Amino acid sequence: MTAFAVGGLVVSATLSAFTYLWARTYLVDQRQTSAVHQADANAQLMRTLLEPHSPDVARLLNSLQTPSTAQSVVWHAGRWYGTSALAGPDALPAELRNAVISKDRPARQRYQRSGAQVLAVGIPLSTTDSYFEIFSLSNLDSTLGALGESLIAASVLGFLVSLAIGAWATRRVLRPVREIGAAAAAISGGRLDARLDAGGDQELAELATGFNSMVDTLQRRIERDARFASDVSHELRSPLTTLHSAVTVMQRRRHQLDAKAARALDLLGDEVNRFDHLVEDLLEISRYDAGVVHVDLEPVDVVALTKGLLAEADQKVEVSATGADATIVIDRRRLAQALRNVIRNAIIHAGGLTAAAVNVGEQWTEISLEDHGPGISDDERDAIFERFARGRAAGRRSSGSGVGLGLALVAEHLRLQGGSIRVNAVNPSGSRFVLVIPTRRPLS
Ligand SMILES: Nc1ncnc2c1ncn2[C@@H]1O[C@H](COP(=O)(O)OP(=O)(O)OP(=O)(O)O)[C@@H](O)[C@H]1O
Ligand SMILES: [Mg+2]
């Protein structure tokens, strides 16, 4: 835009300057030519009228045809005569006087006289007589001044017009870029159905079509992957149920088994449980990917819910509750699963919870769960919320350790309801997971 404006200014200023110079040369030339013609004609007349001892030269001068802007001066027989008191030898530059009177040559000169441009033309009439005519150029000056002003105005206008054209062109050129940016942002924000309008500009149609087909491919692949994960999880469910019942049957006969077989059965039981969790988590996550999640909102007493889940997990910690009313509108199943995952983590990774707090604020409700375990290092603080991120547990694959989906699910569950999760360090060691959800009050 700036380039356009500066370019426009340079072009129009240059054109204006040239126009001005050309016009000035032309006008001055023309004026000079007509002045010389007029002076010639008058000199001719004077030559015939002036006799060696003319009695009344001043009257003769006044009878000449001169416009009001011109004045005549005559050098006759050693004396000066002028059309007015102001027109005398002083009105003529000495140079011009000398050239005409002494050297007997016609001459002209442009000069300043009492602040205005004038042109004087001198013509020798005889050895003793010379005729001078002084032309005022001040109306030429004012013409040129007006021309200059309008050219400056034209330059400014040119600048403004090119600024406007620049703004328009920039917006037009950048619009598709902006549209692509918006579409890309929408897609990365999860709106996979965002597309560009390919019906607009001819040149851009190709770009839009290419972009759209890329997104189509991407969308198909994402959907296929999501379906694959959910299909696999579904397929695993029925054999898992069978395994579960088989293990339960065998566990009832555990006392009949010898020590080795009993240990093997325990291991099998643990692994089947772990597998069960994995499949449940995978199903849940693939539902997010396929975009088929429903929120079931209902009024929930978050303090009571937290207490209940802690008791269920055998965690004997007090729940400190702040805020007036603990009942907020939320998806109970998802909040419960999120809390369960964090509690389970504390048990598995940190040896159990040491403190719990619920704070129901005006806008946000925060549930903090604290442990004195090894804590989360700074560089893992964000990564643990990603799928299959297992932090320091990675590499170990003992029974009891998970697959790394727990916190990813917690994050999805909370995000779906406009909330989030964060983790802080606890002194001297340990972590505090804070689940944040918007405080929505039931309509009563
Ligand atoms: N309370 C905690 N103290 C220390 N580390 C933790 C704690 N909670 C989670 N982590 C770390 O974060 C990682 C990711 O946790 P996440 O719940 O996502 O996976 P997981 O517990 O390993 O497996 P899953 O929950 O899927 O069974 C864990 O592997 C562990 O290293
Ligand atoms: Mg976990």
Side-chain angles (χ1 to χ4, degrees):
M1 211 171 101
T2 314
F4 252 103
V6 170
L9 182 65
V10 167
V11 169
S12 54
T14 312
L15 275 179
S16 299
F18 273 116
T19 310
Y20 181 80
L21 289 178
W22 177 83
R24 196 178 66 174
T25 314
Y26 176 79
L27 286 176
V28 167
D29 271 1
Q30 215 188 25
R31 190 85 176 82
Q32 239 159 25
T33 314
S34 73
V36 167
H37 274 305
Q38 188 187 323
D40 253 347
N42 284 337
Q44 207 70 30
L45 201 61
M46 284 304 277
R47 193 172 284 141
T48 55
L49 294 178
L50 266 185
E51 284 147 23
H53 293 286
S54 285
D56 203 349
V57 181
R59 208 176 52 81
L60 262 180
L61 270 181
N62 282 328
S63 69
L64 288 179
Q65 291 284 326
T66 52
S68 60
T69 53
Q71 290 163 332
S72 303
V73 180
V74 163
W75 169 250
H76 172 63
R79 281 195 60 189
W80 287 100
Y81 303 88
T83 33
S84 74
L86 289 174
D90 299 340
L92 297 166
E95 248 174 282
L96 182 75
R97 281 191 322 236
N98 287 341
V100 179
I101 299 172
S102 322
K103 300 196 185 115
D104 236 359
R105 270 209 316 256
R108 61 173 187 233
Q109 189 173 342
R110 244 167 69 197
Y111 56 99
Q112 290 276 336
R113 190 179 149 214
S114 42
Q117 279 273 333
V118 294
L119 171 70
V121 180
I123 297 161
L125 302 177
S126 66
T127 45
T128 53
D129 304 344
S130 294
Y131 176 78
F132 296 87
E133 195 161 340
I134 304 167
F135 299 89
S136 160
L137 296 181
S138 64
N139 59 351
L140 188 63
D141 272 354
S142 66
T143 307
L144 284 173
L147 178 68
E149 274 162 26
S150 34
L151 286 176
I152 288 175
S155 298
V156 171
L157 195 70
F159 172 71
L160 292 179
V161 166
S162 46
L163 195 70
I165 292 178
W168 176 80
T170 316
R171 192 154 330 127
R172 208 182 132 73
V173 167
L174 286 186
R175 198 189 56 207
V177 178
R178 224 173 279 138
E179 275 171 13
I180 292 178
I187 289 162
S188 69
R191 279 185 40 223
L192 282 176
D193 54 344
R195 293 292 184 277
L196 288 178
D197 175 20
D201 281 313
Q202 194 68 46
E203 318 91 82
L204 296 172
E206 212 172 303
L207 179 64
T209 316
F211 182 88
N212 288 347
S213 84
M214 177 190 77
V215 181
D216 282 341
T217 316
L218 203 64
Q219 184 179 21
R220 267 199 304 278
R221 181 162 298 176
I222 289 174
E223 281 168 2
R224 202 184 53 203
D225 286 356
R227 227 174 11 232
F228 178 74
S230 105
D231 289 351
V232 168
S233 318
H234 266 297
E235 290 305 319
L236 287 175
R237 245 182 167 177
S238 42
L240 248 181
T241 319
T242 318
L243 273 176
H244 240 307
S245 352
V247 168
T248 316
V249 169
M250 283 166 80
Q251 266 162 351
R252 257 187 247 129
R253 309 262 157 96
R254 196 173 184 278
H255 56 278
Q256 297 173 3
L257 302 173
D258 61 46
K260 259 190 179 166
R263 242 181 64 73
L265 178 61
D266 290 345
L267 276 180
L268 185 61
D270 283 350
E271 283 301 297
V272 168
N273 275 338
R274 191 167 111 84
F275 204 22
D276 210 18
H277 267 302
L278 167 65
V279 169
E280 284 308 317
D281 285 354
L282 268 180
L283 261 180
E284 188 83 47
I285 276 238
S286 63
R287 239 171 264 141
Y288 274 102
D289 288 347
V292 284
V293 279
H294 313 279
V295 218
D296 286 321
L297 293 179
E298 58 183 301
V300 174
D301 182 331
V302 274
V303 174
L305 179 72
T306 310
K307 281 184 176 159
L309 292 171
L310 287 172
E312 183 189 294
D314 253 346
Q315 295 295 298
K316 293 181 182 59
V317 288
E318 282 293 308
V319 176
S320 85
T322 43
D325 183 358
T327 304
I328 63 171
V329 172
I330 195 87
D331 185 323
R332 173 193 286 274
R333 187 186 70 83
R334 290 182 198 282
L335 180 62
Q337 193 177 5
L339 282 169
R340 236 181 241 125
N341 282 1
V342 176
I343 295 170
R344 196 151 57 95
N345 276 352
I347 298 170
I348 294 173
H349 304 295
L353 286 167
T354 54
V358 178
N359 175 29
V360 184
E362 269 296 306
Q363 275 194 316
W364 300 102
T365 295
E366 296 192 340
I367 307 174
S368 324
L369 299 168
E370 201 175 303
D371 63 56
H372 285 165
I376 310 280
S377 64
D378 280 346
D379 46 328
E380 283 180 345
R381 192 144 293 163
D382 294 323
I384 54 168
F385 297 107
E386 272 157 31
R387 295 170 186 190
F388 299 106
R390 295 173 58 230
R392 71 179 78 225
R396 278 187 280 132
R397 202 163 273 281
S398 59
S399 56
S401 76
V403 290
L405 282 178
L407 287 177
L409 255 183
V410 174
E412 298 266 23
H413 280 327
L414 296 177
R415 189 163 35 229
L416 184 68
Q417 313 185 50
S420 61
I421 180 167
R422 59 168 194 267
V423 60
N424 300 325
V426 170
N427 262 335
S429 93
S431 31
R432 180 190 307 115
F433 283 86
V434 186
L435 289 76
V436 186
I437 36 178
T439 306
R440 252 171 300 195
R441 293 299 183 180
L443 300 171
S444 53

